[in-house]
Amino acid sequence: MTAPRQYRLSQLQALEAEAIFIMREVCAELERPVLLFSGGKDSIVMLRLAEKAFHPGRIPFPVMHVDTGHNFAEVLDFRDRRAAELGVNLLVASVQEAIDNGTVTEPPDGTRNRIQTPVLLDALEKYRFTAIFGGARRDEDKARAKERIFSFRDEFGQWDPKNQRPELWNLYNGRIHTGESIRVFPLSNWTELDIWQFIAREGIELPSIYYAHEREVFERNGMLFGVHEVCRPRPGEEVRTERVRYRTVGDASLTAAVRSDADTVEKVVEEVAVTRITERGATRGDDKFSEAAMEDRKREGYF
Amino acid sequence: MDLLRFATAGSVDDGKSTLIGRLLYDTKTVFEDQIESVERASRDRGDEYVNLALLTDGLRAEREQGITIDVAYRYFASPRRKFIIADTPGHIQYTRNMVTGASTADLALILVDARKGLVEQSRRHAFLATLLQVPHLVLCVNKMDLVGYDQGVFDAIQQEFTDFAAKLQVPDLAVIPMSALQGDNVVHRSDNMPWYQGSSLLHHLENVHVASDRNLIDARFAVQTVIRPQSGTHLDYRGYAGQVSGGVFKPGDEVMVLPSGFTTTIAAIDTADGPVEEAFPPMSVTIRLSDELDVSRGDMLCRPRNAPTPRQDVEAMVCWMDEQATLQPGRKYALKHTTRTVRALVKELQYQLDVNTLHRNEGATQLGLNEIGRVRLRTTLPLLADEYRRNRSTGGFVLIDEATNRTVAAGMVV
C-alpha cells in the first residue's frame, strides 16, 4: 500500500482495509472463529486477507471444509496443499460420512447441496464455533445483497431476514448467547471483478480449473457440465471436448463450466470485466430451483 | 480507481427502484440472466411492464408486498469510479434502515416526484442525511416527463428545498431534473431540458470531490488487537493493529496513548506488504512504538497536543432502532464506540425531535422505534470520543441491550 499524494485509497485498497478490519474485530471479540475453506477463489482470497490481517503472526483460527464428496479432484488437492503451506489446521466435515451414518439422506436426484446444511450445522456444534467466516459476496444473489456483514444466527443456524441487527459505521455487534453464532462476510462489498483483480495484484495461485483447459462436457439446461463420476450425461446428451473454465467451483454435480480461452489471470480479468451473465446464472444449477432459492436455503442455516 | 458509497432515499413511489434500475441498466451493470429472471418474475406476477424494482427487492416478503424492507447493497462501476449503492427503504417504519445505509455514505440521493413536490418523506430523509453528516446531497427531481419537462416546476421545487435546507447543515447540494423512466439526465444528458445546464446524475457521481471529506487533521487510531507472533523469527515483535480513523500517521511522529496519557514515538508502520511511510484513513495497519508501554484493545493513539478529551458524561443525538423496547432514562446499555465497549446509563432524555417539523419535544419521556432525540449518558469508563461532526468514526456509537444482545440505537456525540 503506497500512499497517493491526495490520500485516497483505490477501490481494492479500500476493500482490503475493510476486510482486514472485520477479521481483526472478529478475533478480538468472538471466542471461537473458523473460516470456511473450500479451495474456491473467494475462500482463497479470504485466507490471503487473514494472512495480511495478522501478519507477521499466524492466522489465529482453523479452517473447515464441508466436503460433499462431489468435488473436483484438482480443488481438493489445492485445498490440502494451501492449508499445509499456511500451517493452518484444516477440518473436514464429510457429507459422505453423514450419509453413511444415516444422519442425512441423499436426495433422489443425487445432488448434495441441500444436505450440506445439516452437516455444516453439526460440525459447528461439535467444535462449538461461535464465528464462522464465509467468502460470500452481496453481488452473488439478491438475498445476499440484503445480508449484514455480521449475520446473526440463532441456535439452529437460521437467518431471519426481517429481524437483522442494524449495522452502522464499522461498529459490528458480535454479542451472542450460548448456542448462537455469527456468520461473518468480510467480502460482502467485493464483486467478482474485484476478486479477480485482487488475485492478479497479489499473484495468488488458484486451482487449475479456474483457467481455460480442454474438458469433456455435455449440455444440460443450457449449461455446460463437465463429465465427472457424479455428473454423467443422460441419453441424448452428447459429450464433446471443449475449451472451458470454471467461474465457481462448488459441487461437481451442480457446477457448470463456461466456454473460455482465458488461460491466464490477466485474460480472466478481461473476460470477467465484459461478461454479460452473472457468476451464479452461468454456472449454478442449485439457484435455479426457485426465485428465492438462496433465501430459503439461508433461512435453514446455509451460507 | 476510487470508490464512492451513496445511499438512496425518498418516498415510496418516487421512482427509487426505477432510478437504480436505470443507473445499472445504462451503465451495463445488469446481467442478461438477471434481466431474464426479472422479466420472468414480472410475467408470472401479471405485471404489465418489466418491473425493475424486482432487481433490488430480493426477499420473499418484499416481493409479496411490493415494498423495500431492508437495505440492499448494489455495485456498479463507470470508467471513472466504482460505486456502492445502499438502497434504503422509503417507508417511514423503516427509517432505521435509512439511517443504517446513510451511516457509511459519502453522498445521499433524495428523490422527489416533480408532480408532488417536497413531501414529508423528502424532508425527513434530507434531515436524516444531514444528521448523519453525509457530506454531499443530490436532490433528484424525478418524473420530469410527466410535467412536460417544465422548468417552472423544477425551479419551484429547487427553491422550496433550498429554503428548507437553510435550516439544516447541508455542506454540498446539487439539484438535477430527470426522468428515471425515460433516462433523462440519469446517465446521459437530456435534450428534453435544454434549460438545464448542469451534469447528468452519473457525471455528478463520477466527479463529486470526496477527497477532502475525511478528517486528515486529527490523528486517531483505535487499537483493535495486539500482534505478538512469539515465533522464532519475530521473537520480540509487538505491534498494535487497527484502522486509521483520522489524520495521518508517520514513523517518527510523537504519539500519545489514551487513556493512559503516556507519550512515545512511532517506530514503524507495518503491513503484510512491508512497512509504509504514512498511514491515513481508512488504512488497516499495524503500528509499532519506540517504547514498551501498556497498550491494549480499546486504547487510542493520537497526538499529544491534539487528543480527544476522555469523558464519562456524554451528550448525543440517538436514533432508536428497536421495536421491542423503548429508550428510557435510568436504563443501562452496552455502548460500543470504536473498538471499546463500556456500559452507559441514560441520565436524561433532553428532548425528542420531530423529524418532520424539527420541533423539539422537551416533555418526551421515552424514545420509540425510529424516534430521534438528544440524551445525556454517563459511562463506566471514559469515552475517547470526538464530536460526530468532526469525525464520523470517532463520534458515532451504538447501544446494545445487554439482555437481548440486540443493537437498539445509533448515537452521535454532540
Side-chain angles (χ1 to χ4, degrees):
Chain A
M1 277 200 254
T2 52
R5 194 164 295 135
Q6 70 273 37
Y7 296 114
R8 288 293 290 172
L9 294 184
S10 72
Q11 145 108 348
L12 269 191
Q13 288 170 328
L15 291 174
E16 178 184 316
E18 179 183 71
I20 287 175
F21 175 83
I22 293 163
M23 288 187 165
R24 289 170 172 173
E25 279 302 282
V26 169
C27 292
E29 294 215 331
L30 283 135
E31 224 167 301
R32 294 177 63 81
V34 65
L35 186 146
L36 287 203
F37 180 57
S38 63
K41 67 181 186 308
D42 299 312
S43 57
I44 290 169
V45 165
M46 290 276 285
L47 267 185
R48 170 56 61 94
L49 290 165
E51 251 186 298
K52 290 188 146 196
F54 302 100
H55 174 88
R58 285 171 45 155
I59 297 172
F61 41 78
V63 301
M64 183 165 83
H65 182 216
V66 181
D67 184 347
T68 60
H70 285 177
N71 292 292
F72 296 95
E74 302 93 319
V75 178
L76 287 190
D77 290 346
F78 185 90
R79 175 197 78 182
D80 296 342
R81 184 157 54 79
R82 192 80 191 102
E85 282 165 8
L86 287 172
V88 291
N89 184 15
L90 170 69
L91 308 167
V92 177
S94 163
V95 173
Q96 185 61 53
E97 257 174 44
I99 292 170
D100 297 344
N101 297 337
T103 331
V104 294
T105 311
E106 181 140 38
D109 64 0
T111 62
R112 292 181 169 182
N113 211 324
R114 283 195 92 99
I115 56 173
Q116 255 185 304
T117 302
V119 177
L120 166 71
L121 296 177
D122 283 350
L124 296 180
E125 201 172 326
K126 178 176 160 194
Y127 296 107
R128 295 180 292 112
F129 289 127
T130 52
I132 304 101
F133 285 111
R137 311 187 316 265
R138 286 173 176 152
D139 78 328
E140 287 177 76
D141 179 276
K142 51 193 179 301
R144 273 290 301 140
K146 295 275 172 181
E147 196 165 7
R148 303 283 188 252
I149 289 172
F150 269 43
S151 183
F152 172 79
R153 303 299 178 103
D154 66 12
E155 65 269 43
F156 300 102
Q158 299 178 108
W159 180 56
D160 179 0
K162 274 186 156 177
N163 190 22
Q164 302 195 74
R165 291 178 175 173
E167 205 159 77
L168 294 115
W169 303 289
N170 59 357
L171 298 173
Y172 303 105
N173 176 359
R175 293 164 83 104
I176 49 170
H177 292 120
T178 311
E180 298 168 344
S181 61
I182 303 282
R183 305 279 172 95
V184 187
F185 303 105
L187 303 182
S188 284
N189 288 321
W190 298 50
T191 63
E192 184 186 13
L193 185 58
D194 295 324
I195 293 287
W196 277 103
Q197 286 173 336
F198 184 78
I199 288 166
R201 192 189 81 184
E202 299 282 310
I204 295 174
E205 195 194 339
L206 292 185
S208 56
I209 69 172
Y210 277 112
Y211 299 105
H213 57 285
E214 306 266 314
R215 187 177 279 261
E216 286 202 318
V217 293
F218 60 90
E219 206 166 319
R220 179 180 295 165
N221 302 328
M223 291 187 284
L224 281 186
F225 287 93
V227 177
H228 188 278
E229 61 189 47
V230 299
C231 188
R232 299 194 181 282
R234 296 175 191 143
E237 293 174 335
E238 179 203 341
V239 174
R240 299 186 293 265
T241 299
E242 296 228 31
R243 196 163 164 75
V244 296
R245 68 175 196 90
Y246 283 85
R247 282 173 76 181
T248 66
V249 295
D251 190 308
S253 68
L254 285 166
T255 308
V258 294
R259 287 188 182 91
S260 172
D261 285 319
D263 53 6
T264 64
V265 67
E266 292 76 21
K267 288 183 193 167
V268 174
V269 169
E270 272 173 45
E271 188 181 283
V272 171
V274 299
T275 181
R276 300 298 307 135
I277 298 183
T278 64
E279 191 176 323
R280 290 199 162 252
T283 68
R284 287 297 180 92
D286 47 336
D287 292 322
K288 298 204 164 170
F289 294 138
S290 86
E291 262 301 300
M294 176 71 99
E295 178 182 349
D296 293 345
R297 282 186 293 143
K298 290 177 84 68
R299 282 173 176 274
E300 292 168 10
Y302 187 78
F303 261 83
Chain B
M1 183 133 50
D2 70 356
L3 179 64
L4 182 91
R5 296 178 190 241
F6 67 95
T8 61
S11 192
V12 183
D13 296 315
D14 290 343
K16 219 149 39 76
S17 300
T18 313
L19 176 62
I20 292 172
R22 173 61 65 184
L23 269 176
L24 297 179
Y25 192 83
D26 283 4
T27 52
K28 302 193 176 10
T29 311
V30 183
F31 295 90
E32 283 166 15
D33 54 311
Q34 289 174 322
I35 287 282
E36 273 168 30
S37 145
V38 166
E39 281 171 354
R40 191 170 54 240
S42 302
R43 215 169 34 239
D44 293 349
R45 294 156 52 105
D47 290 341
E48 280 173 27
Y49 55 94
V50 175
N51 187 347
L52 282 178
L54 294 176
L55 278 174
T56 50
D57 288 344
L59 300 176
R60 275 186 188 281
E62 293 178 322
R63 289 169 168 240
E64 277 158 23
Q65 298 171 47
I67 58 166
T68 309
I69 293 173
D70 209 334
V71 189
Y73 294 88
R74 303 279 145 202
Y75 305 85
F76 76 102
S78 77
R80 296 280 310 263
R81 240 181 201 159
K82 297 211 176 189
F83 301 95
I84 299 178
I85 314 177
D87 177 20
T88 73
H91 277 257
I92 181 167
Q93 67 262 44
Y94 301 116
T95 297
R96 59 176 172 170
N97 293 331
M98 155 72 194
V99 170
T100 296
S103 73
T104 52
D106 304 307
L107 178 147
L109 300 183
I110 295 166
L111 261 80
V112 172
D113 183 331
R115 295 169 305 172
K116 297 181 193 156
L118 290 195
V119 295
E120 237 178 65
Q121 195 69 344
S122 339
R123 296 170 196 271
R124 185 182 299 127
H125 281 163
F127 167 71
L128 289 171
T130 55
L131 179 73
L132 283 145
Q133 300 276 325
V134 178
H136 307 275
L137 295 190
V138 181
L139 183 70
C140 301
V141 182
N142 191 26
K143 307 197 185 182
M144 286 300 293
D145 54 320
L146 300 181
V147 296
Y149 298 107
D150 181 0
Q151 182 178 6
V153 173
F154 173 76
D155 287 346
I157 292 173
Q158 168 158 274
Q159 188 58 49
E160 196 187 354
F161 190 85
T162 314
D163 291 347
F164 169 71
K167 287 190 265 179
L168 309 171
Q169 288 187 318
V170 180
D172 173 42
L173 174 69
V175 189
I176 304 176
M178 64 180 64
S179 164
L181 193 67
Q182 306 297 332
D184 296 292
N185 288 339
V186 177
V187 169
H188 309 291
R189 278 286 303 272
S190 165
D191 295 332
N192 291 319
M193 291 171 274
W195 44 267
Y196 172 72
Q197 302 298 318
S199 1
S200 71
L201 175 62
L202 181 66
H203 188 264
H204 183 73
L205 293 173
E206 285 177 319
N207 291 285
V208 65
H209 181 67
V210 292
S212 56
D213 294 343
R214 288 150 316 136
N215 182 327
L216 293 171
I217 311 277
D218 308 311
R220 300 287 185 266
F221 182 85
V223 175
Q224 280 191 287
T225 186
V226 183
I227 295 190
R228 293 189 60 201
Q230 292 175 303
S231 64
T233 40
H234 296 93
L235 211 48
D236 299 319
Y237 190 94
R238 187 181 180 86
Y240 303 102
Q243 188 167 29
V244 182
S245 50
V248 181
F249 289 88
K250 295 185 174 118
D253 281 353
E254 194 178 16
V255 287
M256 178 189 258
V257 183
L258 288 179
S260 71
F262 288 122
T263 57
T264 180
T265 54
I266 294 179
I269 304 175
D270 293 337
T271 73
D273 302 312
V276 291
E277 282 311 305
E278 49 192 357
F280 53 89
M283 285 171 69
S284 285
V285 296
T286 301
I287 293 182
R288 277 186 287 139
L289 300 175
S290 307
D291 296 295
E292 293 221 354
L293 298 177
D294 176 13
V295 183
S296 53
R297 175 171 170 83
D299 290 354
M300 183 175 278
L301 305 186
C302 50
R303 293 252 191 284
R305 277 166 301 281
N306 176 354
T309 312
R311 46 181 155 177
Q312 280 177 269
D313 289 294
V314 179
E315 293 199 19
M317 296 299 294
V318 295
C319 175
W320 191 255
M321 301 185 139
D322 197 52
E323 46 211 355
Q324 293 181 359
T326 56
L327 175 136
Q328 288 167 4
R331 284 216 52 182
K332 295 189 186 80
Y333 302 96
L335 183 156
K336 185 167 187 186
H337 168 258
T338 64
T339 55
R340 162 176 284 232
T341 302
V342 300
R343 296 184 84 204
L345 166 71
V346 181
K347 296 278 279 190
E348 187 192 355
L349 173 59
Q350 294 170 307
Y351 56 82
Q352 181 247 322
L353 191 72
D354 184 321
V355 294
N356 299 314
T357 60
L358 306 185
H359 173 74
R360 296 173 177 187
N361 174 10
E362 289 171 8
T365 54
Q366 58 176 32
L367 289 182
L369 180 63
N370 294 321
E371 291 185 335
I372 289 166
R374 181 164 167 153
V375 296
R376 207 154 54 77
L377 305 169
R378 171 86 183 166
T379 57
T380 48
L381 287 171
L383 227 50
L384 310 169
D386 291 296
E387 286 172 23
Y388 183 79
R389 75 171 58 200
R390 274 192 82 80
N391 188 323
R392 289 164 90 190
S393 43
T394 55
F397 62 84
V398 293
L399 297 180
I400 298 166
D401 184 311
E402 294 188 287
T404 63
N405 289 334
R406 294 159 67 92
T407 302
V408 290
M412 288 150 274
V413 175
V414 178

